[in-house]
């Protein structure tokens, strides 16, 4: 009886350990073929205006109090930022994404009311 309950305990512990290992591996992002792009709004950007982020022509609206944080495929991309109410032309920049790397930017309002992306040293 003691041998049987000890065997069941060992099996239960082993099954639990395997479940933990497999779930932690599944939670890690795949670094093959993609990176991560994070674009946050500067606190001075304003709380009543959307920020438009365009990645290779596909537009994403970033609401006040939120940010863009998504995987991005490896390779060359064009990022464009704009504030819809701005009278200035959108600002564009090129970005070459390496697999497994994170690229963080902060959208800021310029003195001429244009919008620009500045590389962020702090990755959120």
């Amino acid at each position: 009886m003691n041998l049987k309950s000890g065997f069941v305990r060992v099996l239960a512990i082993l099954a639990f350990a395997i479940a933990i290992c497999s779930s932690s591996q599944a939670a890690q992002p795949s670094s093959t073929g993609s990176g991560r792009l994070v674009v946050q709004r500067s606190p001075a950007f304003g709380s009543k205006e959307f920020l438009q982020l365009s990645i290779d022509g596909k537009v994403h609206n970033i609401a006040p109090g939120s940010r863009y944080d998504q995987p991005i495929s490896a390779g060359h991309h064009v990022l464009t930022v704009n504030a819809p109410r701005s009278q200035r032309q959108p600002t564009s920049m090129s970005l070459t994404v390496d697999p497994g790397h994170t690229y963080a930017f902060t959208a800021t309002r310029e003195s001429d009311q244009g919008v620009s992306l500045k590389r962020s040293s702090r990755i959120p």
Side-chain angles (χ1 to χ4, degrees):
M1 194 81 150
N2 238 354
L3 184 60
K4 185 178 179 183
S5 67
F7 182 73
V8 169
R9 283 186 186 149
V10 169
L11 279 179
I13 291 170
L14 185 60
F16 184 72
I18 290 171
I20 287 176
C21 288
S22 66
S23 69
S24 67
Q25 289 174 353
Q28 295 174 354
S30 170
S31 63
T32 58
S34 68
R36 177 178 164 215
L37 176 63
V38 180
V39 177
Q40 53 192 0
R41 298 162 56 104
S42 164
F45 192 83
S47 61
K48 297 180 180 180
E49 190 170 12
F50 278 82
L51 169 69
Q52 288 181 335
L53 168 67
S54 173
I55 304 169
D56 301 327
K58 183 174 181 188
V59 177
H60 306 273
N61 289 311
I62 304 173
S66 62
R67 67 181 184 189
Y68 180 88
D69 187 347
Q70 297 291 321
I72 185 169
S73 62
H76 180 74
H77 298 279
V78 176
L79 307 179
T80 304
V81 288
N82 188 30
R85 291 192 237 160
S86 173
Q87 301 298 316
R88 304 289 301 168
Q89 290 288 82
T91 304
S92 295
M93 67 173 288
S94 294
L95 176 67
T96 301
V97 175
D98 292 322
H101 291 155
T102 297
Y103 300 87
F105 296 92
T106 301
T108 59
R109 173 91 60 194
E110 298 296 321
S111 60
D112 64 357
Q113 295 301 303
V115 180
S116 67
L117 284 176
K118 303 214 186 279
R119 191 144 252 184
S120 178
S121 59
R122 185 178 148 247
I123 298 174

